[in-house]
């Protein structure tokens, strides 16, 4: 009867799991250090937060850029965990827009230093392989483009503009969010309402140009063509 031998492969898998766990712990330590020290945090601050020496950090990350990307990926998870339900939810058109906008703003409001850390990228010591911020914008815009495209095609409209429209909307909300994060001259709720109003009127104008009249207080499905 053959015996199962636990050889080098099993040891490698255990070591891989240990490394992944330690990397995740150091990412959380970086996020905590950023929250306390600000976006210009250094590796020594991260090491102190993690309770290890800098050489220990460098055993798990190639360099600062490697750690930055890992933190950026975690930030993306936080963003999509908050925005995913809002993007997927149905409901009245204008309220649906407001929920999506507010979900984004809630993330940067709850994590201002982390947001600035990821956007500024001042922590890195060499060009990073990925643009975390641009990847997030592309991910959100792609989702919005699919939603817009589906509705436009449902009403026999040219959906060719769905993608640039989506990217324009994402850029607008991000820029407004950057301004708000620095100024804080109004509440998040007010900014969400203002942006939702702008976006709704843009969509309403597009629909009306195709002879479609929509009620902002109802889901988009029961649209009626203008007589």
């Amino acid at each position: 009867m053959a015996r199962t031998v636990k050889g080098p492969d099993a040891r490698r898998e255990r070591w891989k799991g240990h490394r992944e766990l330690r990397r995740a712990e150091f990412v959380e330590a970086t996020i905590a250090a950023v929250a306390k020290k600000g976006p210009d945090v250094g590796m020594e601050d991260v090491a102190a937060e993690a309770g290890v020496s800098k050489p220990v950090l460098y055993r798990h990350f190639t360099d600062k850029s490697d750690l930055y990307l890992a933190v950026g990926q975690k930030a993306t998870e936080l963003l999509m965990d908050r925005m995913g339900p809002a993007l997927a939810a149905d409901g009245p058109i204008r309220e649906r827009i407001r929920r999506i906008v507010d979900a984004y703003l809630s993330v940067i409001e709850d994590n201002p230093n982390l947001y600035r850390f990821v956007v500024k990228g001042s922590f890195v010591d060499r060009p990073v392989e990925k643009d975390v911020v641009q990847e997030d914008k592309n991910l959100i815009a792609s989702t919005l483009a699919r939603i817009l495209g589906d509705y436009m095609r449902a009403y026999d409209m040219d959906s060719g503009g769905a993608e640039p429209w989506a990217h324009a909307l994402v850029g607008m909300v991000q820029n407004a969010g950057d301004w708000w994060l620095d100024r804080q001259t109004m509440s998040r709720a007010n900014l969400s309402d203002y942006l939702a109003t702008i976006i709704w009127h843009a969509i309403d104008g597009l629909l009306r140009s195709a002879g479609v009249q929509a009620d902002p207080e109802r889901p988009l499905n029961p649209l009626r063509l203008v007589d």
Side-chain angles (χ1 to χ4, degrees), residues 118-216:
V118 173
V119 170
K120 288 175 64 177
S122 57
F123 179 78
V124 300
D125 50 4
R126 65 175 178 80
V128 293
E129 298 176 357
K130 298 180 181 179
D131 185 335
V132 177
V133 177
Q134 189 59 49
E135 285 189 351
D136 287 349
K137 290 168 66 176
N138 289 342
L139 179 61
I140 297 169
S142 294
T143 303
L144 287 177
R146 286 195 296 272
I147 295 172
L148 290 172
D150 287 345
Y151 282 129
M152 294 169 80
R153 285 186 291 273
Y155 293 96
D156 297 322
M157 298 172 63
D158 177 13
S159 63
E163 192 167 2
W165 265 67
H167 281 273
L169 293 176
V170 169
M172 180 186 72
V173 173
Q174 184 196 21
N175 287 337
D178 288 348
W179 167 84
W180 173 71
L181 202 58
D182 289 336
R183 301 293 184 85
Q184 294 286 317
T185 54
M186 66 179 68
S187 69
R188 191 183 89 207
N190 282 345
L191 180 59
S192 295
D193 283 340
Y194 287 141
L195 292 176
T197 297
I198 293 170
I199 294 170
W200 158 245
H201 282 295
I203 292 174
D204 184 46
L206 179 66
L207 293 173
R208 288 177 181 275
S209 71
V212 178
Q213 185 172 354
D215 182 349

Side-chain angles (χ1 to χ4, degrees), residues 27 67-77 114 117-118 132 136:
V27 166
L67 177 55
Y68 166 81
L69 285 176
V71 172
Q73 290 166 358
K74 182 63 177 180
T76 297
E77 291 176 12
L114 177 60
F117 173 81
V118 173
V132 177
D136 287 349

Side-chain angles (χ1 to χ4, degrees), residues 26 29-30 33 42-57:
F26 291 144
T30 305
M43 285 292 275
E44 61 278 3
D45 299 312
V46 175
E49 182 67 34
V52 300
S53 64
K54 286 172 64 175
V56 171
L57 285 179

Side-chain angles (χ1 to χ4, degrees), residues 88-110:
D90 204 350
I93 315 167
R94 193 183 180 286
E95 177 58 23
R96 186 179 182 187
I97 295 169
R98 193 201 65 79
R99 284 199 304 264
I100 293 172
V101 172
D102 191 64
Y104 172 79
L105 294 177
S106 73
V107 174
I108 67 173
E109 180 183 45
D110 292 345

